[in-house]
Amino acid sequence: MKVPLLDLRPQLAEIEAELKAAVNKVIDSTHYILGPEVVAFEKAVAQYVGAKHAIGVSSGTDALLISLMALEVGPGDLVLTTPYSFFATAGAIVRVGARPVFVDIDPESYTMDPEALHAWFDAHPKDIERVKAIIPVHLYGQCADMNPIRVLARRHDIPVVEDAAQALGASYPAGATLEKAGAMGTTGCFSFFPSKNLGCIGDGGMVTTNDAALAERIALLRNHGAHPKYYHSMIGGNFRLDAIQAAVLNVKLPYLDVWNTMRRDRALRYDEYLSESTVRIPTAVYGAESHIYNQYIISVPEARDDLRAFLNNKGIGHEVYYPVPFHLQACFADLGYKKGDFPHSEYAAEHTVALPVFPELSDAMQDYVISKIKKFYA
């Protein structure tokens, strides 16, 4: 049997007619950049997330970049984040001229450890005034522990930029209520890369915020800082969302909760059958209903490379996400970090594997994956 890590074809087959009709409508309109499809999608995402404003941009990477630009983060500034994420998180910080400062992850959630964040502030009182943003990453479909992060950020008047690229639909128990990823920080940054739970047919992103002035600034920056046309009040960039991508996402968004539920069902089935195995199943810190399982990540205590070779031999798709934490990347050598500085991030990089968890994964395919993992360790 062949089991891919991700197969987009079943999803495409389900909504192919709707997608093609939406794309053809945009083609016929000849309005290909921004326009009514983008406006409609922005309104829909703002409502879905629970934010007052949403601004469509060209990618999740650009959502992070434009957020930092809008917050006027620049040379000499510090931005705190984790060393365990997709490269865009740290890359955007450097691109605005700021310096990334890393704090370790929580080993259960793989997201920013609030205690490590607090420890950094306690240890660096003279540097606090240089900190211009904190970027917690909602990794693999689960929110970071936002309450203590926000308390600390408010204490020092520091903006919080949520990297929610993998977490559209994930929620967090903020007291008696549930808040969704992207509505808890100064901005929320989303990606619609095709492999995401809500993916387009190219690149696309979104910034959400409750700050009207900041939303206006982001909207201006995404179009070279121009309003009206050819009159530039600031230097921005070309960060515009294509109308075709927005049209595709408008079709898909109403299905998102169903697809997330299907992923959750797949994840819980893995939990049931792998909980007594050698591998460690992922922890849904706030309960499975708050997790959207953009990835299903197992932790492999030993022989990960041997397991991967075995899975390859059996035709089972899998992936190691982020095998080299940021602090050990060659391009960040000048930051002065060394191996051992962030042990939880390093352990995750060396021991985790993503298994197939896409919504249409069949019981038979999943049983095959489970049986082969158990056979390997037996």
Side-chain angles (χ1 to χ4, degrees):
M1 181 181 288
K2 296 286 186 181
V3 183
L5 177 65
L6 174 66
D7 187 356
L8 296 176
R9 288 170 296 185
Q11 183 185 98
L12 174 63
E14 180 183 3
I15 58 174
E16 184 174 4
E18 290 180 82
L19 288 176
K20 289 183 175 179
V23 170
N24 285 336
K25 180 180 176 182
V26 173
I27 292 172
D28 291 343
S29 76
T30 72
H31 199 148
Y32 304 141
I33 303 295
L34 299 178
E37 289 288 349
V38 173
V39 171
F41 183 56
E42 289 171 335
K43 290 180 178 178
V45 170
Q47 182 177 10
Y48 180 83
V49 168
K52 293 180 181 178
H53 309 278
I55 308 96
V57 294
S58 41
S59 68
T61 300
D62 290 337
L64 290 165
L65 180 63
I66 202 171
S67 290
L68 295 176
M69 292 172 66
L71 292 168
E72 299 184 306
V73 178
D77 295 335
L78 305 179
V79 177
L80 274 66
T81 190
T82 71
Y84 186 67
S85 177
F86 179 64
F87 185 81
T89 310
I93 298 169
V94 177
R95 287 175 66 187
V96 296
R99 182 182 181 90
V101 175
F102 303 130
V103 298
D104 211 353
I105 59 171
D106 170 74
E108 296 294 321
S109 68
Y110 304 116
T111 63
M112 180 178 282
D113 181 354
E115 291 186 6
L117 183 66
H118 276 261
W120 186 90
F121 276 84
D122 290 341
H124 300 85
K126 294 181 180 179
D127 292 327
I128 293 174
E129 65 179 16
R130 295 175 57 201
V131 178
K132 301 304 180 184
I134 299 172
I135 307 181
V137 183
H138 303 321
L139 203 64
Y140 299 139
Q142 179 163 239
C143 289
D145 191 359
M146 291 296 292
N147 278 347
I149 294 171
R150 289 187 290 185
V151 167
L152 185 61
R154 284 194 293 267
R155 183 181 304 159
H156 298 288
D157 194 26
I158 298 171
V160 174
V161 176
E162 297 176 71
D163 185 338
Q166 301 179 10
L168 184 62
S171 58
Y172 175 78
T177 62
L178 286 176
E179 294 185 81
K180 282 190 173 178
M184 296 182 279
T186 310
T187 67
C189 301
F190 294 97
S191 168
F192 305 114
F193 188 77
S195 64
K196 297 294 190 288
N197 290 33
L198 184 70
C200 54
I201 55 174
D203 266 320
M206 185 75 72
V207 180
T208 52
T209 184
N210 290 314
D211 186 324
L214 190 60
E216 183 177 353
R217 184 175 176 84
I218 292 169
L220 198 61
L221 285 167
R222 74 174 170 185
N223 192 30
H224 295 289
H227 185 75
K229 190 175 182 180
Y230 302 127
Y231 291 81
H232 302 264
S233 59
M234 62 184 71
I235 297 174
N238 179 3
F239 305 125
R240 300 170 302 206
L241 180 62
D242 293 347
I244 283 179
Q245 303 303 340
V248 167
L249 293 164
N250 277 323
V251 170
K252 285 189 166 188
L253 183 59
Y255 295 93
L256 178 60
D257 285 343
V258 173
W259 291 335
N260 283 345
T261 298
M262 293 169 71
R263 284 177 175 270
R264 192 173 296 118
D265 290 344
R266 295 294 100 193
L268 292 175
R269 198 163 185 273
Y270 275 132
D271 287 354
E272 179 182 359
Y273 289 102
L274 291 177
S275 59
E276 301 299 324
S277 68
T278 301
V279 304
R280 182 166 67 85
I281 62 175
T283 303
V285 177
Y286 319 112
E289 66 279 1
S290 293
H291 203 317
I292 63 163
Y293 294 97
N294 180 252
Q295 305 294 345
Y296 185 89
I297 302 296
I298 59 171
S299 182
V300 180
E302 57 184 22
R304 184 182 69 173
D305 290 345
D306 292 339
L307 172 62
R308 295 192 66 204
F310 180 81
L311 294 177
N312 280 331
N313 182 260
K314 300 302 179 183
I316 296 172
H318 61 282
E319 184 62 271
V320 170
Y321 288 97
Y322 324 130
V324 182
F326 297 150
H327 68 291
L328 301 179
Q329 294 281 357
C331 63
F332 295 135
D334 63 326
L335 297 177
Y337 295 110
K338 64 184 183 305
K339 189 171 179 60
D341 283 346
F342 305 104
H344 296 313
S345 295
E346 291 172 25
Y347 187 91
E350 294 168 1
H351 290 270
T352 55
V353 176
L355 300 180
V357 73
F358 57 93
E360 299 81 10
L361 183 71
S362 69
D363 286 355
M365 288 191 290
Q366 193 171 21
D367 288 343
Y368 180 75
V369 175
I370 292 165
S371 67
K372 296 308 176 187
I373 291 174
K374 287 186 171 182
K375 182 178 179 181
F376 174 81
Y377 283 104

